[in-house]
Amino acid sequence: SYCSILCNYKAIDMPAHQTYGGSWKFLTFIDLVIQAVFFGICVLTDLSSLLTRGNDSQEQERQLRKLISLRDWMMAVLAFPVGVFVVTMFWSIYIYDRELVYPKLLDNFIPAWLNHGMHTTVLPFVLIEMRTTHHQYPSRSCGLAAVCTFAVGYILWVCWIHHVTGVWVYPLLEHLSPGVKIIFFAAVTVVINIFYLVGEVLNNYIWDTQK
């Protein structure tokens, strides 16, 4: 599903794809790549688990544990918080004023089904994954530090693109004063950290080993 969405999105002849940063300046695209890689690792983990079942090889068991650790880390730090953030932020701003985040002009390039594939189905997919597979979360301090690093890294990337091109990635930022931008970026970082904590609480609730 994600590979199909990515291929269809990249095939669109959209002016924004030709400017500095290409598709990588949009958090939606970065999130799609994260989700595609994450679920690819999930498939690889399940296949490896099936192939090593009944096998006494300690090396294969060690490699499988590494793969599971990578899957769990990606779920905790990237797939869940970034995925939920993209869905909630996009539709919240879209409902308020779509021109701030997804101008009507884009309807000429992106069909409705692709828009929902990028901004809607991410949430049910990641919730189903959380419900069907137990994920071991890292320590809270390490998890929050990793989420903050991602958030700050993306904010700096957006600022750098504006520095180079003179244009903000999202029209919303054009309407904010420098001081308000700082507050907005700080709020965004706090929100994505809250989503990390929500994921941790939800995971612990679903997989309460004492129940």
Side-chain angles (χ1 to χ4, degrees), residues 2-13:
Y2 281 119
C3 286
S4 173
I5 292 169
L6 282 167
C7 288
N8 277 279
Y9 179 75
K10 291 297 289 181
I12 295 172
D13 185 20

Side-chain angles (χ1 to χ4, degrees), residues 25-201:
K25 58 179 169 283
F26 300 112
L27 186 59
T28 292
F29 180 79
I30 294 172
D31 179 50
L32 287 174
V33 173
I34 288 172
Q35 302 295 334
V37 171
F38 168 67
F39 281 105
I41 291 172
C42 288
V43 172
L44 188 59
T45 302
D46 290 341
L47 287 175
S48 299
S49 181
L50 287 171
L51 292 173
T52 58
R53 185 172 292 172
N55 194 327
D56 294 331
S57 172
Q58 290 186 346
E59 178 60 25
Q60 287 185 347
E61 190 68 29
R62 189 170 66 85
Q63 295 300 328
L64 178 59
R65 282 199 298 270
K66 282 185 178 180
L67 204 55
I68 291 172
S69 295
L70 176 61
R71 178 201 68 188
D72 291 351
W73 185 88
M74 277 203 71
M75 175 66 171
V77 172
L78 296 174
F80 187 88
V82 178
V84 175
F85 178 84
V86 166
V87 173
T88 54
M89 286 295 289
F90 175 83
W91 287 113
S92 297
I93 299 173
Y94 185 97
I95 291 169
Y96 174 72
D97 183 357
R98 67 169 296 177
E99 294 298 318
L100 296 175
V101 68
Y102 193 82
K104 271 193 173 182
L105 176 67
L106 292 179
D107 291 342
N108 299 323
F109 301 96
I110 303 175
W113 71 266
L114 186 56
N115 180 27
H116 285 292
M118 296 188 296
H119 298 117
T120 307
T121 58
V122 174
L123 184 57
F125 281 170
V126 80
L127 288 175
I128 290 169
E129 166 63 20
M130 179 170 280
R131 180 64 186 85
T132 56
T133 306
H134 177 243
H135 297 275
Q136 187 68 44
Y137 267 60
S139 67
R140 183 166 292 181
S141 57
C142 289
L144 290 174
V147 173
C148 280
T149 300
F150 174 85
V152 172
Y154 180 70
I155 289 168
L156 292 175
W157 171 231
V158 168
C159 292
W160 174 254
I161 291 171
H162 177 262
H163 172 73
V164 172
T165 65
V167 178
W168 287 104
V169 174
Y170 302 102
L172 167 68
L173 296 172
E174 300 280 359
H175 303 282
L176 304 180
S177 65
V180 175
K181 280 190 185 76
I182 293 172
I183 296 171
F184 176 75
F185 288 143
V188 162
T189 304
V190 170
V191 168
I192 200 169
N193 275 275
I194 289 172
F195 285 139
Y196 171 85
L197 296 174
V198 169
E200 183 183 47
V201 171

